[in-house]
């Protein structure tokens, strides 16, 4: 029986779940565990803190099917049988538990017993110096099928220093038909014949700055197997694109393209999946970071469509094929279906316009080169058109040929290679070394417990003092004390201070040796609270008087008024989100936020226009909720239950198996089905009832990107202060115009009308002045008597007394009815 991709995914997780592995859901493509990473590129990313021993709770074994995206080999997609940008990675992990013996045995068992791959098709590669792995593999594989390879392919490192170790790859021989036919072709060859399906990484060393490898006391296992590759070999396909994973999309695009070129079909199928999952995880098109990756994929895919004769947006329709196929495993696709399609269509429409820009820029470039008598388009210029505007190099060559020119393809390839290397360097910058610098401190201190949900003041112990800002990683130096006037960072055993996270700013407050800071002999001001690692809470302080020492007992107090203002803004953000979804549609999803004591900022997905009446309705509804004084209830539950209840989870946030739900509903949890205003997963601080918010006022609305809107608002005392400021401004303007505030609009309308009348009169005069100065230039020399230049005799000989006083034009015109003749005399 042929195994489907879905069955293989389920079987893998079941296999390792039955061997005491905790099955962990996929993390977002925008890594929640490591913000220094651009995208999730491997299954181990979400387990980085487990590997470093800093996670809470700690796991011993885990297994996952992780969404991954890599663009380092994007040019190979569609041209080989094995390269993809988006893929799912199956993986089993050990954090100081089992090691090579079990990892190798279980991998062999799963492939040859569980899914019945032929052992005759399997080859093994090992690091050339890893005798332990070779001996273990020989229990299952003949020695001649075990190949020693160099560190370039079979030794994993996190960076120049730090954890590292040898790798062992399991390769599948797809057959001679897919090889390069060279005599040297074998495992390790870069052709399509020997397909790597599973990589086992044995993290057993710590490399120091001199390059010396030291055995790790806690060895780890990190494995990764591409699900799409596994499906292709399990289904007997020579290409990933022939497996059931891609066939629905391939067929859909075959019906659209005329003619359907095989490479184009593969690129479209791969990129469409990547687009759907990126937008589904909250990434929106932009010119930097993740947004640029998405925009590049969208444009590469749409370009294939335009080359195939498609002249209008079409990818947003293909998105539905992906969602239908993957929605059971990744329900977030269903929840964000409308947003994914809408963002995709909007970007397609923009790019079709961009193609026109590309044609124009290429035409201008050719004209400039011709003027310089050049015969070739420089490679870097061709690459700029290709990379920035998505203009196909093939199309550039075709147009250049028609103009009698060539394209410097060597320079183009060099520019493209440099861009690829830059992308690889960015991908390699995992930030692991930055996190590692905190590991020793985290291990030494243990977890700092946050108790700020239930109290704003508590007595606690100073665990460590660092005389530097916590993000100044190069100078993380512990000191025994801080004296008056000094600044640094303090780590407490317990704290009421909320560390910045989930859009909410960190708390401020005080550390003192007395519950009343005014009576304290020691006082430090807490300027900010951060959490660089889970459980490691950092208080940035300045000592105002006395000395703070390691081991000292202190009273930690949160600034109550500031925390209450933050609470108001945070709950108001939830109400605003709910109101926008009700008025604009369920496609509205939070894409970012700032919750501060003086304002809130809410970024959300919405591709259509945001009308004034939409904003007014949302503001009205939010304040209606405030007036109802609805209870705000908080409950912890498991993630599956929260999803069943309809709780909203957000882009880029990391949630454990136990989640914190914030509910705003008239009857609370008991009658949730009757009316539910808002239910979100949230770790922030909130008011106990909406009436505490007082009043919410939207200050501004704008667009911050394709399909992305931003609202800024204020709540409580800040809202009152904002409205009072507007009133003061209004009253001041009314006083200047000598009207009441209620009459101000009418007065301004009349002033604008008069200004328009004056502008019209000025235009009339300017036109008249030009005619008179052209035809009667000598008329300006007045000496008395009648003008010899006047053909009608309607011009006077000299200015009257009234003219001398009031005439505005300076030309002495006395024509009857002329607007510049104040006395009205014909003279």
């Amino acid at each position: 029986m042929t195994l489907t991709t879905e069955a293989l995914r389920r079987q893998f997780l079941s296999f390792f779940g039955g061997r005491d592995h905790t099955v962990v859901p996929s993390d977002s493509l925008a890594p929640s565990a490591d913000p220094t990473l651009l995208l999730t590129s491997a299954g181990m990313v979400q387990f980085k803190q487990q590997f470093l021993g800093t996670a809470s709770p700690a796991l011993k074994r885990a297994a996952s099917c992780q969404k991954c995206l890599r663009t380092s080999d994007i040019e190979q997609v569609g041209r080989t049988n094995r390269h993809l940008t988006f893929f799912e990675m199956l993986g089993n992990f050990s954090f100081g538990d089992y090691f090579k013996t079990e990892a190798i045995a279980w991998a062999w068992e799963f492939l040859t017993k569980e899914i019945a791959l032929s052992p005759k098709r399997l080859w093994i590669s090992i690091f050339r110096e890893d005798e332990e792995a070779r001996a273990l593999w020989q229990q299952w594989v003949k020695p001649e099928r075990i190949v020693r390879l160099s560190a370039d392919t079979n030794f994993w490192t996190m960076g120049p220093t730090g954890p590292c170790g040898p790798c062992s790859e399991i390769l599948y021989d797809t057959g001679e038909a897919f090889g390069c036919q060279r005599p040297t072709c074998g495992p390790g060859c870069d052709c399509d014949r020997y397909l790597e399906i599973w990589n086992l990484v044995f993290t057993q060393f710590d490399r120091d700055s001199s390059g010396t490898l030291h055995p790790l006391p806690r060895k780890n296992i990190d494995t990764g197997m591409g699900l799409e590759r596994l499906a292709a070999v399990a289904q007997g396909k020579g290409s990933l694109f022939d497996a059931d994973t891609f066939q629905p999309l391939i067929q859909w695009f075959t019906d659209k393209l005329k003619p359907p070129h095989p490479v184009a079909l593969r690129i479209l199928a791969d990129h469409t999946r990547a687009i759907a999952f990126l937008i589904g995880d909250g990434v929106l098109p932009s010119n930097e970071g993740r947004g640029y990756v998405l925009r590049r994929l969208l444009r590469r895919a749409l370009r294939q469509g335009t080359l195939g004769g498609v002249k209008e947006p079409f990818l947003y329709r293909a998105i539905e094929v992906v969602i239908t196929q993957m929605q059971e495993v990744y329900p977030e696709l269903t929840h964000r279906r409308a947003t994914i399609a809408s963002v995709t269509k909007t970007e397609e429409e923009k790019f079709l316009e961009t193609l026109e820009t590309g044609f124009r820029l290429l035409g201008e470039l050719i004209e400039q080169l011709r003027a310089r008598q050049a015969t070739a388009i420089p490679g870097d210029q061709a690459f700029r058109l290709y990379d920035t505007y998505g203009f196909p190099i093939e199309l550039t060559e075709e147009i250049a040929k028609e103009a009698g020119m060539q394209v410097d393809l060597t320079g183009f390839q060099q520019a493209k290679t440099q861009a690829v290397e830059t992308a690889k360097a960015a991908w390699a910058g995992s930030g692991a070394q930055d996190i590692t610098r905190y590991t020793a401190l985290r291990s030494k201190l243990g977890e700092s417990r946050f108790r700020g949900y239930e109290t704003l003041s508590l007595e606690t112990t100073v665990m460590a003092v660092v005389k530097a800002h916590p993000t100044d990683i190069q100078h993380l130096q512990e000191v025994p004390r801080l004296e008056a006037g000094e600044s640094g960072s303090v780590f407490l055993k317990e704290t009421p201070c909320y560390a910045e996270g989930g859009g909410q700013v960190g708390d401020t407050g005080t550390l003192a040796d007395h519950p009343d800071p005014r009576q304290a002999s020691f006082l430090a001001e807490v300027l900010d609270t951060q959490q660089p690692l889970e459980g490691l809470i950092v208080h940035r302080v300045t000592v105002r008087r006395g000395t703070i020492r390691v081991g000292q007992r202190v009273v930690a107090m949160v600034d109550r008024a500031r925390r209450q203002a933050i609470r108001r803004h945070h709950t108001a953000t939830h109400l605003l989100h709910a109101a926008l979804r009700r008025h604009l549609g369920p496609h509205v999803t939070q894409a970012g936020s700032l919750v501060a004591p003086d304002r809130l900022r809410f970024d959300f997905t919405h591709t259509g226009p945001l009308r004034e009446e939409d904003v007014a309705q949302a503001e009205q509804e939010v304040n209606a909720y405030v007036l109802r004084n609805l209870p705000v209830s908080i409950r912890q539950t498991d993630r599956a239950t929260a999803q069943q209840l309809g709780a909203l989870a957000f882009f880029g946030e990391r949630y454990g198996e136990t989640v914190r739900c914030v509910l705003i509903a008239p009857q609370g949890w008991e009658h949730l089905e009757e009316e539910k205003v808002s239910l979100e997963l949230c770790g922030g601080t909130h008011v106990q009832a909406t009436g505490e918010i007082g009043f919410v006022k939207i200050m501004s609305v704008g667009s911050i990107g394709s399909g992305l809107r931003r609202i800024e608002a204020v709540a409580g005392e800040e809202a009152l202060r904002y409205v009072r400021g507007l009133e003061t401004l209004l009253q001041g303007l009314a006083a200047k115009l000598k009207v009441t505030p209620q009459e101000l609009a009418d007065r301004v309308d009349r002033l604008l009308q008069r200004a328009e009348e004056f502008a019209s009169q000025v235009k009339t005069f300017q036109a008249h002045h030009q005619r008179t100065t052209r035809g009667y230039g000598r008329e300006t020399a007045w000496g008395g008597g009648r003008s010899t230049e006047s053909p009608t005799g309607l011009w006077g000989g000299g200015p009257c007394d009234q003219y001398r006083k009031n005439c505005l034009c300076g030309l002495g015109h006395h024509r009857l009815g002329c607007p510049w003749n104040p006395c009205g005399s014909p003279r």
Side-chain angles (χ1 to χ4, degrees):
M1 182 181 68
T2 300
L3 289 169
T4 64
T5 301
E6 183 180 349
L8 288 166
R9 185 193 298 110
R10 186 171 56 250
Q11 241 174 298
F12 178 88
L13 296 176
S14 175
F15 179 86
F16 282 99
R19 286 157 179 78
D20 298 326
H21 287 65
T22 300
V23 177
V24 180
S26 173
D27 192 20
S28 168
L29 283 174
S32 59
D34 187 353
T36 65
L37 272 178
L38 184 66
L39 292 162
T40 299
S41 57
M44 65 81 63
V45 169
Q46 71 166 315
F47 298 114
K48 184 169 289 184
Q49 292 185 21
Q50 295 286 353
F51 282 119
L52 295 173
T54 60
S56 178
L59 299 175
K60 287 189 174 182
R61 304 177 180 184
S64 68
C65 180
Q66 172 64 48
K67 298 176 290 186
C68 297
L69 197 141
R70 299 177 184 176
T71 59
S72 53
D73 294 318
I74 191 171
E75 297 301 329
Q76 298 299 316
V77 173
R79 305 184 186 281
T80 71
N81 291 327
R82 67 187 190 278
H83 283 102
L84 302 173
T85 57
F86 173 82
F87 59 96
E88 295 176 82
M89 181 177 285
L90 303 170
N92 59 290
F93 309 90
S94 168
F95 314 109
D97 188 25
Y98 66 84
F99 199 47
K100 292 182 186 179
T101 301
E102 294 86 349
I104 288 172
W106 285 338
W108 187 258
E109 180 184 354
F110 178 77
L111 292 179
T112 61
K113 305 297 183 184
E114 192 75 12
I115 64 172
L117 293 187
S118 171
K120 295 180 180 179
R121 291 287 193 101
L122 299 177
W123 288 72
I124 307 299
S125 74
I126 61 170
F127 178 51
R128 61 191 175 196
E129 300 173 15
D130 193 353
E131 296 299 333
E132 182 185 6
R134 180 177 177 82
L136 289 169
W137 274 120
Q138 285 182 354
Q139 298 178 45
W140 317 99
V141 183
K142 293 180 179 179
E144 59 268 23
R145 299 182 77 84
I146 302 173
V147 182
R148 297 177 187 268
L149 295 178
S150 68
D152 292 340
T153 59
N154 282 64
F155 196 92
W156 177 85
T157 63
M158 189 177 281
T161 60
C164 56
C167 308
S168 181
E169 297 175 337
I170 304 176
L171 312 171
Y172 186 88
D173 185 358
T174 60
E176 291 184 11
F178 298 98
C180 59
Q181 310 305 320
R182 290 180 298 210
T184 57
C185 184
C189 183
D190 198 35
C191 68
D192 283 336
R193 177 172 177 178
Y194 295 94
L195 182 67
E196 176 202 332
I197 56 174
W198 205 340
N199 187 19
L200 315 180
V201 179
F202 311 124
T203 312
Q204 62 187 97
F205 298 116
D206 182 17
R207 176 179 280 155
D208 63 24
S209 57
S210 69
T212 303
L213 299 177
H214 304 279
L216 282 172
R218 186 171 177 268
K219 297 178 174 61
N220 300 317
I221 289 292
D222 161 22
T223 84
M225 174 164 55
L227 177 59
E228 294 81 1
R229 293 189 176 194
L230 181 63
V233 299
Q235 294 167 21
K237 307 298 183 182
S239 167
L240 276 60
F241 298 97
D242 292 335
D244 68 333
T245 319
F246 291 95
Q247 279 306 295
L249 275 170
I250 295 286
Q251 188 56 54
W252 194 92
F253 285 117
T254 298
D255 297 338
K256 296 294 178 185
L257 302 189
K258 307 298 179 188
H261 192 278
V263 172
L265 291 174
R266 292 176 169 189
I267 292 173
L268 283 164
D270 169 79
H271 286 15
T272 301
R273 284 170 22 111
I275 291 163
F277 277 94
L278 279 169
I279 301 175
D281 279 346
V283 179
L284 295 170
S286 69
N287 288 326
E288 59 183 17
R290 297 166 187 144
Y292 175 73
V293 173
L294 172 59
R295 174 162 284 168
R296 186 182 181 196
L297 289 163
L298 269 160
R299 292 184 169 187
R300 289 187 91 249
L302 187 58
R303 188 172 69 209
Q304 296 300 322
T306 58
L307 291 174
V310 181
K311 302 300 182 185
E312 60 185 16
F314 68 103
L315 291 173
Y316 74 98
R317 293 193 178 98
I319 292 293
E320 187 60 33
V321 179
V322 180
I323 295 175
T324 300
Q325 187 179 15
M326 308 292 281
Q327 59 187 348
E328 287 190 17
V329 183
Y330 302 105
E332 65 269 21
L333 294 175
T334 304
H335 300 155
R336 295 156 190 166
R337 172 184 263 113
T339 298
I340 297 169
S342 178
V343 170
T344 302
K345 184 180 182 183
T346 300
E347 187 68 12
E348 287 186 88
E349 291 169 342
K350 288 183 177 181
F351 179 57
L352 289 172
E353 297 175 4
T354 298
L355 271 180
E356 293 298 322
T357 303
F359 279 117
R360 178 178 57 80
L361 291 174
L362 180 56
E364 293 173 357
L365 178 60
I366 289 174
E367 289 303 316
Q368 294 170 6
L369 293 170
R370 276 177 169 168
R372 299 203 302 264
Q373 297 183 340
T375 60
I377 296 175
D380 61 336
Q381 294 291 324
F383 181 72
R384 186 176 72 90
L385 286 169
Y386 169 83
D387 194 51
T388 305
Y389 298 97
F391 207 73
I393 185 62
E394 298 83 4
L395 195 53
T396 300
E397 286 185 277
E398 183 179 332
I399 295 172
K401 185 177 181 181
E402 292 173 357
M405 304 184 75
Q406 296 178 334
V407 178
D408 176 13
L409 294 178
T410 301
F412 174 84
Q413 289 296 337
Q414 289 174 346
K416 188 164 70 171
T417 299
Q418 184 177 355
V420 169
E421 292 302 319
T422 301
K424 285 183 177 179
W427 173 78
S430 67
Q433 292 187 39
D434 294 346
I435 295 176
T436 302
R437 289 188 177 99
Y438 285 111
T439 303
L441 189 59
R442 169 66 175 77
S443 300
K444 173 185 175 182
L445 301 180
E447 183 175 346
S448 180
R449 184 184 172 199
F450 171 64
R451 292 183 53 197
Y453 292 137
E454 63 265 25
T455 183
L456 296 182
S457 176
L458 58 81
E459 187 175 352
T460 183
T461 303
V462 176
M463 302 299 291
V465 177
V466 174
K467 197 174 180 179
H469 188 283
T471 59
D472 189 7
I473 298 167
Q474 298 299 327
H475 298 90
L476 268 181
Q477 297 180 346
E478 290 188 65
V479 294
R481 68 180 66 83
L482 288 177
E483 305 289 349
E486 291 186 319
S487 297
S489 298
V490 174
F491 301 81
L492 304 175
K493 182 66 176 177
E494 295 180 313
T495 179
C497 298
Y498 180 89
E500 180 178 339
Q504 181 174 322
V505 299
D507 277 335
T508 61
T510 59
L511 303 179
D513 56 3
H514 193 280
D516 184 352
R518 292 171 298 182
Q519 300 182 37
S521 59
F522 151 73
L523 177 68
E525 182 181 0
V526 178
L527 305 174
D528 191 16
T529 310
Q530 297 288 326
Q531 186 171 223
L533 281 180
E534 186 176 353
L536 185 67
I537 300 176
V538 184
H539 307 77
R540 186 166 65 87
V541 307
T542 295
V543 179
R544 298 306 180 191
R545 63 175 177 265
T547 303
I548 186 170
R549 296 180 175 84
V550 175
Q552 182 179 0
R553 295 289 288 176
V554 297
V555 177
M557 298 183 63
V558 174
D559 184 329
R560 291 175 181 270
R562 184 176 182 274
R563 168 72 84 84
Q564 182 62 10
I566 293 170
R567 283 172 171 162
R568 293 190 187 104
H569 284 110
H570 205 151
T571 307
T573 302
H574 285 216
L575 293 176
L576 178 61
H577 189 190
L580 290 169
R581 287 173 65 86
R582 227 175 306 280
H583 285 285
L584 301 179
H587 66 278
V588 170
T589 307
Q590 178 176 320
S593 69
L594 170 68
V595 178
D598 60 339
R599 71 191 190 283
L600 70 86
R601 186 182 71 220
F602 184 70
D603 300 339
F604 60 98
T605 56
H606 181 62
T607 54
L610 200 59
R611 302 170 301 175
E612 288 185 14
E613 52 264 40
D614 295 327
V615 178
Q617 286 177 348
E619 183 181 87
Q620 180 70 27
E621 184 168 322
V622 168
N623 283 293
Y625 294 142
V626 171
L627 289 172
R628 290 175 66 185
N629 197 28
L630 300 172
V632 179
S633 307
I634 297 174
R635 174 180 291 180
Q636 287 196 333
T637 185
D638 61 273
R639 183 162 50 177
T641 300
Q643 290 174 342
Q644 290 173 2
L645 294 173
L648 298 177
F650 302 117
F651 303 145
E653 295 297 326
R654 181 173 176 81
Y655 304 103
E657 282 307 307
T658 301
V659 293
R660 186 171 183 264
C661 299
V662 178
L663 171 69
I664 304 173
Q667 303 299 321
W669 295 96
E670 288 69 27
H671 302 278
L672 194 59
E673 68 283 351
E674 295 180 12
E675 183 183 2
K676 178 181 65 180
V677 173
S678 171
L679 178 58
E680 299 186 5
L681 302 187
C682 180
T685 60
H686 291 270
V687 297
Q688 293 181 326
T690 59
E692 295 179 37
I693 297 172
F695 166 45
V696 178
K697 180 64 184 172
I698 293 177
M699 298 188 297
S700 65
V701 180
S703 172
I704 56 171
S706 177
L708 195 60
R709 301 289 183 267
R710 170 172 289 174
I711 286 180
E712 296 201 11
V714 283
E717 293 177 357
E718 291 298 330
L720 184 61
R721 187 176 293 111
Y722 176 74
V723 171
R724 281 178 174 168
L726 293 179
E727 286 181 345
T728 300
L729 178 63
L730 186 68
Q731 290 168 352
L733 291 173
K736 287 183 178 180
L737 295 177
K738 296 180 173 58
V739 295
T740 66
Q742 291 76 17
E743 297 169 332
L744 186 59
D746 182 60
R747 177 63 170 156
V748 171
D749 286 342
R750 284 187 281 122
L751 285 173
L752 291 174
Q753 183 179 354
R754 288 188 62 186
E756 290 176 1
E757 292 172 356
F758 279 129
S760 177
Q761 289 178 353
V762 169
K763 288 182 181 178
T764 301
F765 161 69
Q766 288 174 337
H768 181 68
H769 174 63
Q770 290 173 356
R771 288 198 302 273
T772 55
T773 54
R774 283 197 303 268
Y776 309 105
R778 290 187 294 276
E779 193 176 10
T780 58
W782 295 92
R786 195 169 181 81
S787 170
T788 58
E789 297 297 321
S790 174
T792 62
L794 292 178
W795 300 105
C800 65
D801 292 340
Q802 286 292 326
Y803 161 74
R804 288 189 178 96
K805 293 180 181 179
N806 301 312
C807 185
L808 302 178
C809 69
L811 296 178
H813 294 169
H814 293 276
R815 186 173 184 176
L816 186 64
C818 174
W820 306 106
N821 178 12
C823 63
S825 169
R827 289 288 302 237

